[in-house]
Amino acid sequence: MIRRRPLLLAALAAPSLAYAQEIGSAARPIRIGATAGPHAQVLEKVKEIAARDGLVLRITEFQDYIQPNAALAAGDLDANSYQHQPFLDQQVKDRGLALVGVGKTLIFPLGVYSRRIKALSELPQGGRVAIPNDPTNGGRALVLLASRGAFGLRPGSDFRATVADITENPRRLRILELEAAQLPRVLQEVDAAAINTNFAVPAGLNPVKDAIALESGDSPYANLIVVRRQDEAAPWVRRLVAAYQTQEVKDFVAATFQGAVVPAF
C-alpha cells in the first residue's frame, strides 16, 4: 500500500491539473485577437460577461488585417474577432489556413470620407480616391463608389471586383490602393477615401455623421469569431460565442457606437 500511495496521489492530482490547464481557465485563458478600436472595445465587454461564466479571456490588439490570422494559424492565439466571411474565405484560399468562423458578431458598414468635398458628385477631374488594398474590402469600396455614381463597374461586380473592372470613369479618377489601417492617415492628402468603420472610429470619424457615402445596415459583411478548424467543436468555443451573442453586448454596441456598428446576431 505504501508503494502505491504516490501513484494514487498522482492520479488524484491529475484531474485537478488538467482542469487548471483547461482553455478558458485562469491558468490557460482564451487568447483572442482583434484589431484595435471597436472590435477590441466590444471584446472587453465580452470578457466581462464571460468571466461571470468562469471563462477567462486574454485580448491581444493588432493594427492590421493579416497578423491576427497568422497568429491564430500559428497557435499563438485561440480565436480572433475582426473579419467577415468573404475576407476569411480569401485568406483560407490564398494562405492555406485551416480556420473557420463559428459565430457572427458585428457589421461595420464601409464608408467614404472626405476633408475636401461634401458629396461624391463633387469629385474633381483626376481626383484621387483611396480604397483598402485587400481583395475583399477593396471590392466592397469599388461597389459602394460605383453605386453612388463615382464610376461604372462591370455588371454583376461584387466584393471580388478590382480596378480592372471599372468600365466607365468620366472624371478619370485615380484609385489608390492602400493598407486599410493607413487610410485615415492619408485622408487629408486625397479627395476621398473608403475606410472600414473599425479604423474610422478610432480616427475620430463618425460613420453616421461624417461619411459622404455609407453601406446600408443590412450589409452582408457580418464579422465573425474565428478559430482553428480543429477547435470548432470545443466546449470553450460554444461558451465564447454565447458570451458574445448576448443582449448585453447588443445594448453596449448601441450605446457606444450610436448606429455606426450594428450587431449581426
Side-chain angles (χ1 to χ4, degrees):
M1 294 295 294
I2 294 176
R3 290 181 180 177
R4 293 178 183 174
R5 189 174 182 185
L7 296 176
L8 177 60
L9 290 175
L12 290 173
S16 297
L17 180 60
Y19 179 77
Q21 296 300 320
E22 181 182 358
I23 295 179
S25 67
R28 177 61 171 84
I30 296 172
R31 302 163 301 171
I32 183 166
T35 46
H39 279 299
Q41 284 178 263
V42 175
L43 277 182
E44 290 292 346
K45 186 64 178 179
V46 175
K47 179 179 179 179
E48 173 189 320
I49 295 167
R52 299 177 201 151
D53 184 38
L55 199 64
V56 181
L57 308 187
R58 187 172 72 200
I59 302 165
T60 300
E61 295 186 16
F62 293 84
Q63 300 298 324
D64 64 51
Y65 284 159
I66 303 302
Q67 292 307 310
N69 275 342
L72 177 57
D76 297 324
L77 295 175
D78 302 303
N80 66 43
S81 175
Y82 78 103
Q83 63 194 310
H84 52 64
Q85 190 69 55
F87 183 87
L88 174 61
D89 291 343
Q90 195 69 43
Q91 288 276 291
V92 168
K93 178 182 176 182
D94 293 346
R95 299 172 180 270
L97 306 178
L99 306 180
V100 61
V102 291
K104 292 183 179 180
T105 58
L106 308 168
I107 294 172
F108 289 72
L110 183 74
V112 179
Y113 301 85
S114 177
R115 301 295 190 195
R116 302 179 180 180
I117 60 175
K118 300 296 184 183
L120 287 176
S121 60
E122 298 173 10
L123 282 168
Q125 285 287 328
R128 299 192 301 167
V129 180
I131 67 172
N133 66 357
D134 61 89
T136 53
N137 287 305
R140 285 175 70 186
L142 292 172
V143 169
L144 175 60
L145 288 160
S147 72
R148 301 300 192 273
F151 44 69
L153 274 183
R154 200 181 309 277
S157 293
D158 58 14
F159 66 88
R160 291 164 289 195
T162 69
V163 173
D165 292 309
I166 295 176
T167 56
E168 300 174 18
N169 189 3
R171 296 190 185 91
R172 299 192 178 186
L173 300 174
R174 289 177 288 170
I175 308 301
L176 308 179
E177 298 174 276
L178 304 173
E179 186 179 347
Q182 302 299 320
L183 292 170
R185 302 173 193 173
V186 303
L187 191 55
Q188 297 280 9
E189 304 168 22
V190 297
D191 294 289
I195 305 176
N196 293 83
T197 295
N198 58 300
F199 291 127
V201 170
L205 297 168
N206 184 317
V208 176
K209 297 179 181 178
D210 299 327
I212 60 174
L214 188 67
E215 284 181 329
S216 65
D218 60 355
S219 163
Y221 304 105
N223 288 278
L224 308 164
I225 293 173
V226 174
V227 301
R228 288 185 295 278
R229 189 171 297 280
Q230 67 197 54
D231 294 327
E232 183 176 5
W236 64 264
V237 172
R238 293 194 297 271
R239 294 171 68 195
L240 173 61
V241 172
Y244 201 117
Q245 295 179 343
T246 60
Q247 185 62 46
E248 193 170 348
V249 167
K250 285 185 176 181
D251 294 342
F252 173 81
V253 169
T256 304
F257 302 110
Q258 301 293 310
V261 179
V262 183
F265 53 89

